[in-house]
Amino acid sequence: MAKLRLTIYAATAFGGIVWPWYCIYQFIQETEALGLTDPLEIVDLFSQGVWANASAGFIAADLTLVLIAAFAFIIAEALRLKMKYWYLYFVATFGISFAFSFGLFMFNRERSLMRSSNKSV
């Protein structure tokens, strides 16, 4: 069962790079089609899209709250399991994607739990 969880977490982390960044790539293509070249205008357009309507706002609000809860979980679990470099998951969240960083954290957490259970046997 642990190997299945590892596979799911690894797939989530991989998908967390590919799918969100494919969407970013599409967004960049759209901005180029609009003739936008100023990075500040592009970031502004992206931020407006996050809250463009009620359904987008729902997803943004929901993800924000899940992100806060996940950060609390990551800190608590990483300290409890004495995981190294746990703060890099926060960097990865904002530099790559939350799906990547949380999938990677869960993968490493599972590996840490497997190691500790093997030591106690």
Side-chain angles (χ1 to χ4, degrees):
M1 193 61 151
K3 290 189 182 206
L4 174 61
R5 285 192 302 268
L6 280 174
T7 302
I8 291 169
Y9 298 146
T12 302
F14 177 75
I17 293 174
V18 176
W19 194 359
W21 280 94
Y22 174 72
C23 292
I24 291 292
Y25 170 77
Q26 288 181 311
F27 178 76
I28 290 169
Q29 298 293 8
E30 291 170 6
T31 60
E32 287 176 354
L34 293 172
L36 294 176
T37 56
D38 179 13
L40 293 177
E41 286 179 340
I42 294 170
V43 169
D44 185 49
L45 182 63
F46 184 85
S47 339
Q48 288 174 21
V50 171
W51 301 101
N53 56 44
S55 61
F58 166 82
I59 292 169
D62 195 50
L63 181 58
T64 300
L65 294 172
V66 169
L67 190 65
I68 293 167
F71 281 177
F73 176 73
I74 288 171
I75 292 169
E77 281 294 282
L79 294 176
R80 181 177 74 86
L81 298 173
K82 297 178 176 64
M83 295 172 71
K84 295 180 181 179
Y85 311 112
W86 57 268
Y87 50 87
L88 292 178
Y89 297 107
F90 301 116
V91 175
T93 294
F94 297 105
I96 300 171
S97 78
F98 175 56
F100 167 74
S101 66
F102 194 68
L104 183 63
F105 171 77
M106 293 301 290
F107 179 85
N108 287 326
R109 176 183 175 269
E110 189 69 31
R111 282 184 31 203
S112 179
L113 289 170
M114 289 170 63
R115 274 190 237 120
S116 66
S117 69
N118 286 340
K119 287 179 185 176
S120 63
V121 174

